[in-house]
Structures are given as structure tokens and as C-alpha cells.
Amino acid sequence: MDIREVEKFWNKVKEKLRYSDIPELTYKMWIEPLRAVNYQNNTFELITPQQLSMNILNEYGSIIRETVKSVISPEATYTLNYNADYGKEYIVSQKKAQTKIIPGQTEEERNEIVAKQQSRMMQSEANLNLNLNFDNFVVGDNSKFAYNAAFAVANNPSKKFNPLFIYGASGLGKTHLLQAIGHYILFNTKLKVRYIRMEEYCNEWLKCFSYSDVNGVRKSRCNDTLMRKFHQKFQNIDILLMDDIQFIESRIKTMEDFFSIFEALYTNNKQIVIASDRLPRDIPKLDNRLRTRFEMGLVVDIVPPDYDTRFEIVKAYAKERGADADDEVFSYIAENFTDNVRELKGAFTKVCAYAEIFNKGITLETAQTALKLEVKKKELTPDVIAKAVSKFFDLKPDELKGNSRKQKIALARQIAIYLTRDLTQMSYEAIGSYFDKKHTTVLYSCEQIEDKINNNKEVKDSIDAIKDIIKEF
């Protein structure tokens, strides 16, 4: 297909997407800049000037795909890739647009357009999604410590906690907090910010090398000019927000390079914030020098949210989408989707799509039909675990919250604390609050039981038996 025809069809797709369920701000910031460069084998080849849009537009992939099919053909689809050259071109075009004078335009209108363009440029250069900020982060017991630490860093970069290391399972809000820090600093200071995922960092680093086969052996050669530019890109900033650091494991050369970047930034009093799906000590084959540096700052965790927090997350997401839904819908989703925030949002998005397709209101009945969940899942709580442990050791649940040092009670208490952490992923602070213990006591109890599981068969068998009791509740 001729490129002019490709662009013509893509413009039709974009026009239809403009009036879809995609929020207006999302459309203008992430879809409007997309460029179609080819169409073959029923596939649109799209490029983006913004690395972050690759992740953001995943959420709207089904809408984009269905729109492409409706405009082109039922077999049509699309691919999306980041293009660095287009990224540079896009920034230049945005700067030119700021100086362009439109006849008849009022000063107020012009200022508004310039402000929007500057906002897009800032988020593009910093690789930020400006929709992710502190204002729309729903704080619960699962994330309170991490949120407060992130906000403290945003207010006093490199003065409070450096580095700040946030860890937790996928979909719990680590990326949101990193982006919120960047968003706050970008709009309240003149500091330079850059957000990047470790996988993208590795890919950019590899582009600094050329490869060739010499007598059947693959050889690599570093392009010093490209490597110098790569280092300057990360050393000439004030705030580094590194996501998914666990992807660096086993990449020995990349670890060595990132260590030099880390040292340069830290030595020059620049703020570093890191997110991971696990603790530094739990990342296999992580260079010990990096491990000790990650741990020398503040390490905080985010765990799955409780029911009340899940309810508020879904409710906030509905407001963000402009969806009119009953509280029963939020409750139903919060009760049945317990693992992470993405799961909650995905469930609500599915309910909205079902309601639109079949012209129904967003009610409990609609949610039940769309999600096909008839049986409410049981939520495992510290109360349930405490009752199971007490039953096994023939104790009263309140004894687990006391200060008795009797061997039987102390062991039962440590096991209850360990199982609460292991089975609910509650934060150490929340567990400490439930058992009336300090954060350090909770951490110590978990480490003690982990060690006994590996070295004491009796303790391991007791824990297995308690887990069977828990299933009975």
C-alpha cells in the first residue's frame, strides 16, 4: 500500500479513536503522535516518539485493534514500536509549534496551547506519564509507608532517602509512585528527571555495540561515540527513576556499566529511585556492589491492597473514566479481584465494555454477567491465620499478641507472623500493628521462621499442618 494511502487510513482510525472510550488527555498525549509507516500482511506498522507509550497503550490495545478492524478489515491489526529518530523529530516539531502564531488566536488561547505543548515536551523528554501522580494514587495500609517515602523524596530530592528502593509484586503501584515522584519534581523544580525501565536501559546500552562474525566467532565492538552519548544521557540528570531493576540480573557487563552510572549520580548528590519485584538480596546473580548500594538507602515494600483500599481504587478509576457505576459494582470487583491494581482496573474496564456493547447500565448484575463470578472468594486475613495457629498450638488468639516469652507461645507467635506475611503479603508495618509488635520484630520473626523451615523438619511440618487448618475456615 502506498505510504499516502497508509497515512490516509491511519488518520481515519485516529479520528474514530478520538471519540472512543479512550480519555481525551490520553488520546492527545499518546495516540495523536503515533505515525503509520507501513501496511502489509493486514498489519499497520506504527511508530511512537515516546518510549513510555509502549506500556501505556497496552491498556487500550483492544480498543485500538477493534477500531483498526472496523476501519480497514476484520483481519487487520497493528504493531507499535518506539523510534528514537522520530522522537528527536517530534521534540523539534513541538518546540516549533510553540512559536507558531495563528491568526485570530487570543493570548489566553495561545498560552493554553503553549502550556499543553510544554507539558507534552517535558513528559516526553523525562519519559513520564503525567497521568500518574500523587493525587490519584489511592493510599492504603498496604502502601502508606512507600507513599510517604516517595512523597518525602519528591519534596527533598537527594536530601531524605537516597537511594529509595521500592519493591513488591507486579501491578501494586511501584511504577505509579516512581512516575508520581517524577511528575512532582518536574512541575515544582527545574531539576532534570528521567524515568526508564531496566529492560529499556539494557537495550539502549546494547545499541552502542556493533557485532560481526570472525572465523565463526561472534565479536562485539563498542562505538565510543555512542557510548559516551549514552552515559551523558544518564549522568547529566538530577533524578533517575529506574523501574524493574531485577532485569539486570545475570547481565554482568550491563551491571558494571550501571554501577558506574549509579556511582556518578550518587557521588554528585543526585537522587536515585529504584523499583523491583523483590528485595535486592533476592535478585539472583546481582553484583554485590550494587546490592549493598541499593540497601544503603531506604528499602520499602508495597503489598496487595486490602478490601477497603481495593474498593477505593476501583471507585477512583471509575471517576477517572467518567463512568457512572453503583457502589455494588466496586464492592463486587474488590471482593473478587484481590491480587493487584491492574487486575482491578482490568475487571472494571471489562464491565464498562460489556455495558457499552449491550447498552446496559454499569450495575451489579452487569458486572456479574461480564465477569462470570458467582462465588465470592474468601479473603485471607490475620484473624483467620491467628485462629488456625492458636488451634494447632492449643492457645488463645490473644496470646499471640502478648509478650510472653514461653517457648511454645513465642514460636506460635513467630509462625503466625510469618504466615501472615507469606500468605497475605501484608506490609511489615501492618502486620506489626495487628500483633502489637514493632516492624523490626516482625522482620526478625519472618527471618527466624524462614531459617527454621530450611533446618527444622518439625517446624516445617507444623506450618504445613497449620496451612491445612486455614483451608477449613
Side-chain angles (χ1 to χ4, degrees):
M1 186 183 292
D2 181 81
I3 187 62
R4 285 173 295 186
E5 195 172 359
V6 171
E7 291 171 350
K8 178 182 175 182
F9 276 114
W10 174 239
N11 286 334
K12 287 183 179 180
V13 173
K14 284 206 298 184
E15 189 63 24
K16 196 165 183 179
L17 286 170
R18 181 191 291 271
Y19 300 103
S20 67
D21 280 344
I22 296 175
E24 182 182 359
L25 184 60
T26 299
Y27 175 85
K28 287 184 176 179
M29 294 188 73
W30 306 106
I31 291 181
E32 198 171 69
L34 298 183
R35 177 184 290 176
V37 294
N38 199 5
Y39 181 83
Q40 60 180 0
N41 300 325
N42 294 318
T43 303
F44 261 119
E45 293 180 21
L46 307 177
I47 59 173
T48 174
Q50 304 152 312
Q51 280 184 325
L52 200 60
S53 69
M54 300 286 292
N55 297 326
I56 293 170
L57 293 182
N58 277 340
E59 184 177 343
Y60 302 97
S62 59
I63 296 177
I64 298 173
R65 229 175 330 270
E66 290 304 314
T67 305
V68 168
K69 288 180 180 180
S70 67
V71 172
I72 310 299
S73 75
E75 294 78 30
T77 186
Y78 76 96
T79 60
L80 177 62
N81 291 292
Y82 166 67
N83 186 290
D85 291 334
Y86 179 32
K88 295 174 185 177
E89 178 188 327
Y90 179 73
I91 291 173
V92 171
S93 67
Q94 291 296 300
K95 288 180 179 178
K96 285 183 178 179
Q98 288 183 28
T99 61
K100 187 177 180 181
I101 298 176
I102 300 175
Q105 189 180 63
T106 67
E107 185 176 352
E108 185 178 351
E109 290 172 336
R110 173 167 170 70
N111 289 338
E112 183 180 352
I113 291 173
V114 169
K116 288 181 179 178
Q117 289 170 340
Q118 287 177 335
S119 176
R120 292 184 199 179
M121 280 178 56
M122 284 193 295
Q123 63 83 29
S124 181
E125 291 175 345
N127 205 21
L128 290 173
N129 175 6
L130 300 186
N131 293 325
L132 300 178
N133 51 63
F134 286 118
D135 291 337
N136 60 18
F137 185 91
V138 179
V139 184
D141 287 338
N142 67 308
S143 59
K144 190 180 295 182
F145 190 17
Y147 175 89
N148 289 334
F151 193 72
V153 164
N155 275 278
N156 292 289
S158 73
K159 300 292 191 300
K160 279 283 185 179
F161 312 115
N162 196 21
L164 173 62
F165 191 100
I166 305 172
Y167 74 96
S170 177
L172 296 179
K174 302 185 301 296
T175 297
H176 192 142
L177 284 181
L178 260 66
Q179 293 276 332
I181 292 170
H183 178 277
Y184 188 93
I185 292 173
L186 202 62
F187 284 92
N188 290 282
T189 72
K190 293 183 179 179
L191 299 177
K192 294 180 181 179
V193 180
R194 177 161 291 277
Y195 165 91
I196 191 168
R197 295 172 61 245
M198 176 49 72
E199 192 172 18
E200 294 168 357
Y201 179 94
C202 291
N203 290 337
E204 286 193 34
W205 183 77
L206 287 172
K207 288 179 181 177
C208 298
F209 294 85
S210 58
Y211 300 90
S212 60
D213 286 328
V214 179
N215 297 324
V217 179
R218 194 164 188 251
K219 299 276 188 178
S220 63
R221 183 165 179 263
C222 178
N223 184 312
D224 293 336
T225 301
L226 290 178
M227 186 61 77
R228 188 164 52 252
K229 288 181 179 179
F230 174 79
H231 286 158
Q232 289 173 349
K233 178 179 179 179
F234 290 98
Q235 291 177 352
N236 296 337
I237 57 175
D238 301 295
I239 318 292
L240 175 62
L241 307 169
M242 176 62 75
D243 208 348
D244 291 331
I245 193 70
Q246 69 273 5
F247 279 105
I248 202 173
E249 63 176 313
S250 301
R251 294 176 169 89
I252 297 174
K253 293 294 184 182
T254 311
M255 280 194 276
E256 292 175 358
D257 189 83
F258 182 68
F259 176 80
S260 69
I261 296 290
F262 185 102
E263 285 291 275
L265 291 174
Y266 186 80
T267 302
N268 288 293
N269 205 30
K270 307 301 184 182
Q271 178 68 52
I272 303 165
V273 185
I274 298 168
S276 172
D277 66 358
R278 69 201 86 157
L279 281 164
R281 67 167 180 257
D282 293 331
I283 302 176
K285 299 181 182 178
L286 177 64
D287 186 290
N288 194 52
R289 295 178 304 169
L290 283 175
R291 179 180 292 107
T292 55
R293 278 157 179 78
F294 293 166
E295 293 174 339
M296 71 184 178
L298 177 64
V299 179
V300 297
D301 68 339
I302 300 182
V303 297
D306 58 20
Y307 167 79
D308 290 336
T309 306
R310 296 196 298 271
F311 180 93
E312 292 302 324
I313 288 171
V314 183
K315 188 175 182 179
Y317 185 56
K319 183 178 179 181
E320 182 184 317
R321 289 179 60 103
D324 184 18
D326 299 335
D327 280 359
E328 288 179 320
V329 175
F330 308 145
S331 180
Y332 182 71
I333 293 174
E335 287 173 345
N336 289 284
F337 294 86
T338 61
D339 291 339
N340 61 60
V341 177
R342 290 196 192 112
E343 188 180 52
L344 290 168
K345 291 184 175 181
F348 187 75
T349 299
K350 187 173 182 179
V351 172
C352 290
Y354 183 90
E356 181 183 351
I357 291 170
F358 294 100
N359 195 28
K360 295 179 178 291
I362 305 176
T363 63
L364 176 58
E365 183 182 358
T366 302
Q368 289 173 330
T369 305
L371 300 173
K372 295 182 176 64
L373 294 172
E374 298 176 0
V375 180
K376 175 184 172 182
K377 293 181 181 177
K378 288 183 180 179
E379 182 176 4
L380 191 57
T381 65
D383 282 327
V384 172
I385 294 169
K387 287 177 182 177
V389 173
S390 300
K391 182 177 179 180
F392 180 83
F393 283 97
D394 193 22
L395 299 169
K396 294 179 181 179
D398 286 345
E399 290 183 90
L400 300 179
K401 297 183 180 183
N403 296 314
S404 173
R405 296 192 177 184
K406 290 182 179 179
Q407 186 175 359
K408 178 181 176 181
I409 297 176
L411 177 61
R413 184 187 300 122
Q414 286 188 336
I415 288 176
I417 288 173
Y418 166 80
L419 286 173
T420 302
R421 174 65 179 177
D422 184 52
L423 300 178
T424 72
Q425 289 295 297
M426 285 173 61
S427 67
Y428 294 122
E429 291 74 21
I431 296 172
S433 177
Y434 178 82
F435 287 97
D436 295 328
K437 297 290 177 285
K438 293 181 180 178
H439 167 273
T440 50
T441 302
V442 173
L443 185 59
Y444 176 78
S445 296
C446 291
E447 290 175 346
Q448 285 293 298
I449 297 302
E450 284 177 1
D451 182 61
K452 288 176 181 177
I453 287 173
N454 295 324
N455 300 294
N456 189 319
K457 186 176 184 302
E458 185 178 349
V459 171
K460 184 179 184 303
D461 290 342
S462 296
I463 289 175
D464 290 339
I466 293 169
K467 287 181 178 179
D468 289 335
I469 295 173
I470 289 173
K471 294 175 184 177
E472 298 173 4
F473 282 92

